Amino acid sequence: MTVGNNIVFIGFMGTGKSTLGAMLAKELGMEHVDLDQAIIEHEQSDIPTIFQTKGEAYFRDVEAKLLAELLTGSNLVLTTGGGAVLRAENVKHMMEHALVVALHADQDEIVRRVSLDTNRPLLAGDAAKRVATLLEQRKGAYDFAQIHIDTTGQDVNELVKEIIKKRIEYRDFRGE
Ligand code: S3P
C-alpha cells in the first residue's frame, strides 16, 4: 500500500511540529495545515476555552473528525496536537494516508519551550510536573511513526534537510 504524498507530524507538545511542518511544506511546495488551528476555526474558539466549556472528550471528537477529513486530501503536511495519537482510529488514518514523522525532544527542552505559553490547558499549573506526568503516560504513543527526529538543540534548517533526506530514503526503501 502506498501512503500517497501526505506527511503527518506527530509528537509531544513543544517538540517543534508546527514550526518544522510549516518550513517543510514551504520547501516541498506542499500545503501546510495545522490540526489545532483547524479545530480553532471549526469551533470559532481557542483551545483552552474548548477544554473549559466543552471538555477534553469533545475536543478529541472534533480532533478525530477533522483529522479524518483532512487526510482524504493529498499534497498535505498536517501538523497535529500532541494528543492526536491517543485514539487508535486516528493512528489508523495517519498510517493509511500519510508518511508519519515523529518529533522528539528532551524533557528539559520541552519544559523550556512550553513554559511561557498559556495556550495548553493540559499543562496548566506546574508545567514541569505536568510534562513529566504526560510524557510517562504517553510513553510509546509516538513509536508507530516511520520517521523519528530528535529536535533537541538542533537548527531548524538542518532538521528540515534531515526530514527530506529520511523521506527519500523511506520512499526508496518502499520502492515508491
Ligand atoms: C495537546 C496538545 C496541543 C493541543 C491540546 C492538547 C495534547 O497541541 O492539541 O492542547 O494533548 O498533547 P501541541 O502539541 O501543538 O501543543
Side-chain angles (χ1 to χ4, degrees), residues 48-74:
T49 307
I50 301 170
F51 269 68
Q52 217 173 30
T53 59
K54 303 204 162 160
E56 180 173 350
Y58 177 87
F59 175 86
R60 297 295 174 205
D61 287 343
V62 179
E63 185 177 53
K65 175 177 131 71
L66 294 181
L67 175 81
E69 278 174 20
L70 285 162
L71 284 178
T72 60
S74 60

PDB file of all heavy atoms in Angstrom, residues 48-74:
ATOM      1  N   PRO A  48      -7.965  26.501  25.049  1.00  0.00           N
ATOM      2  CA  PRO A  48      -8.315  26.497  26.479  1.00  0.00           C
ATOM      3  C   PRO A  48      -9.822  26.648  26.701  1.00  0.00           C
ATOM      4  O   PRO A  48     -10.387  25.987  27.571  1.00  0.00           O
ATOM      5  CB  PRO A  48      -7.546  27.705  27.036  1.00  0.00           C
ATOM      6  CG  PRO A  48      -6.398  27.866  26.109  1.00  0.00           C
ATOM      7  CD  PRO A  48      -6.899  27.480  24.756  1.00  0.00           C
ATOM      8  N   THR A  49     -10.479  27.487  25.902  1.00  0.00           N
ATOM      9  CA  THR A  49     -11.931  27.679  26.063  1.00  0.00           C
ATOM     10  C   THR A  49     -12.704  26.414  25.696  1.00  0.00           C
ATOM     11  O   THR A  49     -13.665  26.047  26.380  1.00  0.00           O
ATOM     12  CB  THR A  49     -12.419  28.876  25.204  1.00  0.00           C
ATOM     13  OG1 THR A  49     -11.618  30.008  25.512  1.00  0.00           O
ATOM     14  CG2 THR A  49     -13.878  29.200  25.494  1.00  0.00           C
ATOM     15  N   ILE A  50     -12.282  25.734  24.637  1.00  0.00           N
ATOM     16  CA  ILE A  50     -12.965  24.480  24.253  1.00  0.00           C
ATOM     17  C   ILE A  50     -12.858  23.467  25.401  1.00  0.00           C
ATOM     18  O   ILE A  50     -13.844  22.846  25.795  1.00  0.00           O
ATOM     19  CB  ILE A  50     -12.378  23.877  22.952  1.00  0.00           C
ATOM     20  CG1 ILE A  50     -12.496  24.864  21.783  1.00  0.00           C
ATOM     21  CG2 ILE A  50     -13.081  22.559  22.609  1.00  0.00           C
ATOM     22  CD1 ILE A  50     -11.729  24.449  20.535  1.00  0.00           C
ATOM     23  N   PHE A  51     -11.641  23.325  25.945  1.00  0.00           N
ATOM     24  CA  PHE A  51     -11.442  22.383  27.063  1.00  0.00           C
ATOM     25  C   PHE A  51     -12.322  22.775  28.258  1.00  0.00           C
ATOM     26  O   PHE A  51     -12.926  21.925  28.905  1.00  0.00           O
ATOM     27  CB  PHE A  51      -9.969  22.362  27.497  1.00  0.00           C
ATOM     28  CG  PHE A  51      -9.127  21.318  26.798  1.00  0.00           C
ATOM     29  CD1 PHE A  51      -8.832  21.423  25.444  1.00  0.00           C
ATOM     30  CD2 PHE A  51      -8.624  20.230  27.491  1.00  0.00           C
ATOM     31  CE1 PHE A  51      -8.049  20.465  24.805  1.00  0.00           C
ATOM     32  CE2 PHE A  51      -7.838  19.261  26.858  1.00  0.00           C
ATOM     33  CZ  PHE A  51      -7.549  19.384  25.515  1.00  0.00           C
ATOM     34  N   GLN A  52     -12.346  24.071  28.523  1.00  0.00           N
ATOM     35  CA  GLN A  52     -13.055  24.556  29.710  1.00  0.00           C
ATOM     36  C   GLN A  52     -14.569  24.414  29.585  1.00  0.00           C
ATOM     37  O   GLN A  52     -15.248  23.979  30.506  1.00  0.00           O
ATOM     38  CB  GLN A  52     -12.715  26.039  29.894  1.00  0.00           C
ATOM     39  CG  GLN A  52     -12.577  26.460  31.322  1.00  0.00           C
ATOM     40  CD  GLN A  52     -12.060  27.892  31.375  1.00  0.00           C
ATOM     41  OE1 GLN A  52     -12.336  28.699  30.473  1.00  0.00           O
ATOM     42  NE2 GLN A  52     -11.317  28.224  32.404  1.00  0.00           N
ATOM     43  N   THR A  53     -15.097  24.780  28.413  1.00  0.00           N
ATOM     44  CA  THR A  53     -16.558  24.819  28.289  1.00  0.00           C
ATOM     45  C   THR A  53     -17.150  23.492  27.815  1.00  0.00           C
ATOM     46  O   THR A  53     -18.266  23.149  28.167  1.00  0.00           O
ATOM     47  CB  THR A  53     -17.004  25.937  27.321  1.00  0.00           C
ATOM     48  OG1 THR A  53     -16.405  25.684  26.041  1.00  0.00           O
ATOM     49  CG2 THR A  53     -16.592  27.298  27.830  1.00  0.00           C
ATOM     50  N   LYS A  54     -16.387  22.745  26.999  1.00  0.00           N
ATOM     51  CA  LYS A  54     -16.969  21.524  26.422  1.00  0.00           C
ATOM     52  C   LYS A  54     -16.265  20.244  26.859  1.00  0.00           C
ATOM     53  O   LYS A  54     -16.773  19.151  26.648  1.00  0.00           O
ATOM     54  CB  LYS A  54     -16.966  21.632  24.904  1.00  0.00           C
ATOM     55  CG  LYS A  54     -17.729  22.870  24.434  1.00  0.00           C
ATOM     56  CD  LYS A  54     -18.227  22.731  23.047  1.00  0.00           C
ATOM     57  CE  LYS A  54     -19.326  23.731  22.748  1.00  0.00           C
ATOM     58  NZ  LYS A  54     -19.511  23.932  21.332  1.00  0.00           N
ATOM     59  N   GLY A  55     -15.060  20.398  27.416  1.00  0.00           N
ATOM     60  CA  GLY A  55     -14.352  19.226  27.936  1.00  0.00           C
ATOM     61  C   GLY A  55     -13.387  18.617  26.937  1.00  0.00           C
ATOM     62  O   GLY A  55     -13.491  18.837  25.732  1.00  0.00           O
ATOM     63  N   GLU A  56     -12.440  17.835  27.476  1.00  0.00           N
ATOM     64  CA  GLU A  56     -11.406  17.234  26.618  1.00  0.00           C
ATOM     65  C   GLU A  56     -12.000  16.219  25.646  1.00  0.00           C
ATOM     66  O   GLU A  56     -11.579  16.151  24.481  1.00  0.00           O
ATOM     67  CB  GLU A  56     -10.308  16.563  27.467  1.00  0.00           C
ATOM     68  CG  GLU A  56      -9.238  15.954  26.577  1.00  0.00           C
ATOM     69  CD  GLU A  56      -8.024  15.426  27.324  1.00  0.00           C
ATOM     70  OE1 GLU A  56      -7.893  15.696  28.541  1.00  0.00           O
ATOM     71  OE2 GLU A  56      -7.202  14.744  26.676  1.00  0.00           O
ATOM     72  N   ALA A  57     -12.997  15.436  26.072  1.00  0.00           N
ATOM     73  CA  ALA A  57     -13.560  14.403  25.192  1.00  0.00           C
ATOM     74  C   ALA A  57     -14.154  15.037  23.928  1.00  0.00           C
ATOM     75  O   ALA A  57     -13.991  14.511  22.822  1.00  0.00           O
ATOM     76  CB  ALA A  57     -14.613  13.594  25.931  1.00  0.00           C
ATOM     77  N   TYR A  58     -14.828  16.178  24.117  1.00  0.00           N
ATOM     78  CA  TYR A  58     -15.396  16.891  22.970  1.00  0.00           C
ATOM     79  C   TYR A  58     -14.280  17.351  22.026  1.00  0.00           C
ATOM     80  O   TYR A  58     -14.358  17.171  20.810  1.00  0.00           O
ATOM     81  CB  TYR A  58     -16.216  18.096  23.455  1.00  0.00           C
ATOM     82  CG  TYR A  58     -16.772  18.918  22.320  1.00  0.00           C
ATOM     83  CD1 TYR A  58     -17.988  18.597  21.731  1.00  0.00           C
ATOM     84  CD2 TYR A  58     -16.069  20.015  21.816  1.00  0.00           C
ATOM     85  CE1 TYR A  58     -18.494  19.339  20.673  1.00  0.00           C
ATOM     86  CE2 TYR A  58     -16.560  20.767  20.754  1.00  0.00           C
ATOM     87  CZ  TYR A  58     -17.776  20.424  20.187  1.00  0.00           C
ATOM     88  OH  TYR A  58     -18.257  21.155  19.138  1.00  0.00           O
ATOM     89  N   PHE A  59     -13.220  17.915  22.617  1.00  0.00           N
ATOM     90  CA  PHE A  59     -12.064  18.349  21.818  1.00  0.00           C
ATOM     91  C   PHE A  59     -11.521  17.171  21.008  1.00  0.00           C
ATOM     92  O   PHE A  59     -11.229  17.296  19.825  1.00  0.00           O
ATOM     93  CB  PHE A  59     -10.972  18.915  22.743  1.00  0.00           C
ATOM     94  CG  PHE A  59      -9.687  19.270  22.033  1.00  0.00           C
ATOM     95  CD1 PHE A  59      -9.527  20.507  21.428  1.00  0.00           C
ATOM     96  CD2 PHE A  59      -8.635  18.354  21.966  1.00  0.00           C
ATOM     97  CE1 PHE A  59      -8.341  20.829  20.760  1.00  0.00           C
ATOM     98  CE2 PHE A  59      -7.453  18.672  21.309  1.00  0.00           C
ATOM     99  CZ  PHE A  59      -7.307  19.908  20.710  1.00  0.00           C
ATOM    100  N   ARG A  60     -11.396  16.004  21.662  1.00  0.00           N
ATOM    101  CA  ARG A  60     -10.852  14.813  20.977  1.00  0.00           C
ATOM    102  C   ARG A  60     -11.768  14.351  19.841  1.00  0.00           C
ATOM    103  O   ARG A  60     -11.294  13.845  18.828  1.00  0.00           O
ATOM    104  CB  ARG A  60     -10.642  13.672  21.980  1.00  0.00           C
ATOM    105  CG  ARG A  60      -9.630  13.964  23.077  1.00  0.00           C
ATOM    106  CD  ARG A  60      -8.226  14.153  22.563  1.00  0.00           C
ATOM    107  NE  ARG A  60      -7.315  14.564  23.635  1.00  0.00           N
ATOM    108  CZ  ARG A  60      -6.195  15.242  23.428  1.00  0.00           C
ATOM    109  NH1 ARG A  60      -5.816  15.585  22.201  1.00  0.00           N
ATOM    110  NH2 ARG A  60      -5.421  15.579  24.435  1.00  0.00           N
ATOM    111  N   ASP A  61     -13.077  14.505  20.035  1.00  0.00           N
ATOM    112  CA  ASP A  61     -14.021  14.135  18.974  1.00  0.00           C
ATOM    113  C   ASP A  61     -13.829  15.028  17.746  1.00  0.00           C
ATOM    114  O   ASP A  61     -13.793  14.545  16.606  1.00  0.00           O
ATOM    115  CB  ASP A  61     -15.472  14.266  19.460  1.00  0.00           C
ATOM    116  CG  ASP A  61     -15.863  13.154  20.428  1.00  0.00           C
ATOM    117  OD1 ASP A  61     -15.154  12.124  20.488  1.00  0.00           O
ATOM    118  OD2 ASP A  61     -16.876  13.321  21.137  1.00  0.00           O
ATOM    119  N   VAL A  62     -13.719  16.322  17.985  1.00  0.00           N
ATOM    120  CA  VAL A  62     -13.536  17.255  16.865  1.00  0.00           C
ATOM    121  C   VAL A  62     -12.189  16.984  16.193  1.00  0.00           C
ATOM    122  O   VAL A  62     -12.072  16.963  14.960  1.00  0.00           O
ATOM    123  CB  VAL A  62     -13.602  18.731  17.341  1.00  0.00           C
ATOM    124  CG1 VAL A  62     -13.379  19.686  16.172  1.00  0.00           C
ATOM    125  CG2 VAL A  62     -14.929  19.023  18.021  1.00  0.00           C
ATOM    126  N   GLU A  63     -11.178  16.756  17.024  1.00  0.00           N
ATOM    127  CA  GLU A  63      -9.831  16.461  16.520  1.00  0.00           C
ATOM    128  C   GLU A  63      -9.874  15.236  15.582  1.00  0.00           C
ATOM    129  O   GLU A  63      -9.335  15.265  14.474  1.00  0.00           O
ATOM    130  CB  GLU A  63      -8.912  16.193  17.722  1.00  0.00           C
ATOM    131  CG  GLU A  63      -7.451  15.990  17.401  1.00  0.00           C
ATOM    132  CD  GLU A  63      -6.616  15.812  18.689  1.00  0.00           C
ATOM    133  OE1 GLU A  63      -6.955  14.942  19.523  1.00  0.00           O
ATOM    134  OE2 GLU A  63      -5.616  16.539  18.850  1.00  0.00           O
ATOM    135  N   ALA A  64     -10.560  14.174  16.024  1.00  0.00           N
ATOM    136  CA  ALA A  64     -10.632  12.937  15.223  1.00  0.00           C
ATOM    137  C   ALA A  64     -11.392  13.168  13.921  1.00  0.00           C
ATOM    138  O   ALA A  64     -10.974  12.708  12.850  1.00  0.00           O
ATOM    139  CB  ALA A  64     -11.310  11.839  16.042  1.00  0.00           C
ATOM    140  N   LYS A  65     -12.486  13.901  14.016  1.00  0.00           N
ATOM    141  CA  LYS A  65     -13.315  14.162  12.832  1.00  0.00           C
ATOM    142  C   LYS A  65     -12.529  14.963  11.777  1.00  0.00           C
ATOM    143  O   LYS A  65     -12.486  14.605  10.602  1.00  0.00           O
ATOM    144  CB  LYS A  65     -14.565  14.941  13.273  1.00  0.00           C
ATOM    145  CG  LYS A  65     -15.472  15.402  12.155  1.00  0.00           C
ATOM    146  CD  LYS A  65     -16.699  16.101  12.752  1.00  0.00           C
ATOM    147  CE  LYS A  65     -17.024  17.394  12.183  1.00  0.00           C
ATOM    148  NZ  LYS A  65     -17.498  17.860  11.086  1.00  0.00           N
ATOM    149  N   LEU A  66     -11.864  16.041  12.219  1.00  0.00           N
ATOM    150  CA  LEU A  66     -11.137  16.893  11.275  1.00  0.00           C
ATOM    151  C   LEU A  66      -9.903  16.182  10.728  1.00  0.00           C
ATOM    152  O   LEU A  66      -9.555  16.338   9.557  1.00  0.00           O
ATOM    153  CB  LEU A  66     -10.756  18.229  11.929  1.00  0.00           C
ATOM    154  CG  LEU A  66     -11.949  19.121  12.300  1.00  0.00           C
ATOM    155  CD1 LEU A  66     -11.467  20.424  12.923  1.00  0.00           C
ATOM    156  CD2 LEU A  66     -12.815  19.435  11.075  1.00  0.00           C
ATOM    157  N   LEU A  67      -9.252  15.398  11.564  1.00  0.00           N
ATOM    158  CA  LEU A  67      -8.087  14.633  11.095  1.00  0.00           C
ATOM    159  C   LEU A  67      -8.501  13.709   9.948  1.00  0.00           C
ATOM    160  O   LEU A  67      -7.847  13.682   8.897  1.00  0.00           O
ATOM    161  CB  LEU A  67      -7.504  13.812  12.254  1.00  0.00           C
ATOM    162  CG  LEU A  67      -6.350  12.881  11.888  1.00  0.00           C
ATOM    163  CD1 LEU A  67      -5.034  13.651  11.816  1.00  0.00           C
ATOM    164  CD2 LEU A  67      -6.206  11.750  12.881  1.00  0.00           C
ATOM    165  N   ALA A  68      -9.593  12.973  10.146  1.00  0.00           N
ATOM    166  CA  ALA A  68     -10.058  12.033   9.118  1.00  0.00           C
ATOM    167  C   ALA A  68     -10.421  12.788   7.841  1.00  0.00           C
ATOM    168  O   ALA A  68     -10.064  12.364   6.733  1.00  0.00           O
ATOM    169  CB  ALA A  68     -11.255  11.245   9.637  1.00  0.00           C
ATOM    170  N   GLU A  69     -11.095  13.916   7.992  1.00  0.00           N
ATOM    171  CA  GLU A  69     -11.499  14.705   6.814  1.00  0.00           C
ATOM    172  C   GLU A  69     -10.280  15.227   6.058  1.00  0.00           C
ATOM    173  O   GLU A  69     -10.189  15.111   4.840  1.00  0.00           O
ATOM    174  CB  GLU A  69     -12.360  15.900   7.248  1.00  0.00           C
ATOM    175  CG  GLU A  69     -13.814  15.525   7.477  1.00  0.00           C
ATOM    176  CD  GLU A  69     -14.623  16.679   8.054  1.00  0.00           C
ATOM    177  OE1 GLU A  69     -14.199  17.863   7.930  1.00  0.00           O
ATOM    178  OE2 GLU A  69     -15.662  16.383   8.652  1.00  0.00           O
ATOM    179  N   LEU A  70      -9.345  15.797   6.815  1.00  0.00           N
ATOM    180  CA  LEU A  70      -8.170  16.400   6.170  1.00  0.00           C
ATOM    181  C   LEU A  70      -7.344  15.357   5.434  1.00  0.00           C
ATOM    182  O   LEU A  70      -6.785  15.628   4.368  1.00  0.00           O
ATOM    183  CB  LEU A  70      -7.311  17.123   7.211  1.00  0.00           C
ATOM    184  CG  LEU A  70      -7.888  18.468   7.678  1.00  0.00           C
ATOM    185  CD1 LEU A  70      -7.244  18.920   8.987  1.00  0.00           C
ATOM    186  CD2 LEU A  70      -7.682  19.519   6.585  1.00  0.00           C
ATOM    187  N   LEU A  71      -7.286  14.152   5.993  1.00  0.00           N
ATOM    188  CA  LEU A  71      -6.436  13.122   5.377  1.00  0.00           C
ATOM    189  C   LEU A  71      -7.064  12.470   4.144  1.00  0.00           C
ATOM    190  O   LEU A  71      -6.449  11.607   3.529  1.00  0.00           O
ATOM    191  CB  LEU A  71      -6.044  12.062   6.407  1.00  0.00           C
ATOM    192  CG  LEU A  71      -4.959  12.525   7.387  1.00  0.00           C
ATOM    193  CD1 LEU A  71      -4.651  11.447   8.414  1.00  0.00           C
ATOM    194  CD2 LEU A  71      -3.671  12.924   6.647  1.00  0.00           C
ATOM    195  N   THR A  72      -8.257  12.917   3.754  1.00  0.00           N
ATOM    196  CA  THR A  72      -8.791  12.451   2.465  1.00  0.00           C
ATOM    197  C   THR A  72      -8.133  13.245   1.338  1.00  0.00           C
ATOM    198  O   THR A  72      -8.234  12.880   0.176  1.00  0.00           O
ATOM    199  CB  THR A  72     -10.326  12.622   2.372  1.00  0.00           C
ATOM    200  OG1 THR A  72     -10.619  14.010   2.531  1.00  0.00           O
ATOM    201  CG2 THR A  72     -11.041  11.805   3.435  1.00  0.00           C
ATOM    202  N   GLY A  73      -7.473  14.360   1.680  1.00  0.00           N
ATOM    203  CA  GLY A  73      -6.802  15.187   0.683  1.00  0.00           C
ATOM    204  C   GLY A  73      -5.408  14.662   0.368  1.00  0.00           C
ATOM    205  O   GLY A  73      -4.982  13.627   0.886  1.00  0.00           O
ATOM    206  N   SER A  74      -4.709  15.390  -0.507  1.00  0.00           N
ATOM    207  CA  SER A  74      -3.340  14.987  -0.840  1.00  0.00           C
ATOM    208  C   SER A  74      -2.427  16.209  -0.885  1.00  0.00           C
ATOM    209  O   SER A  74      -2.894  17.348  -0.806  1.00  0.00           O
ATOM    210  CB  SER A  74      -3.319  14.260  -2.188  1.00  0.00           C
ATOM    211  OG  SER A  74      -3.811  15.118  -3.176  1.00  0.00           O
TER     212      SER A  74
END
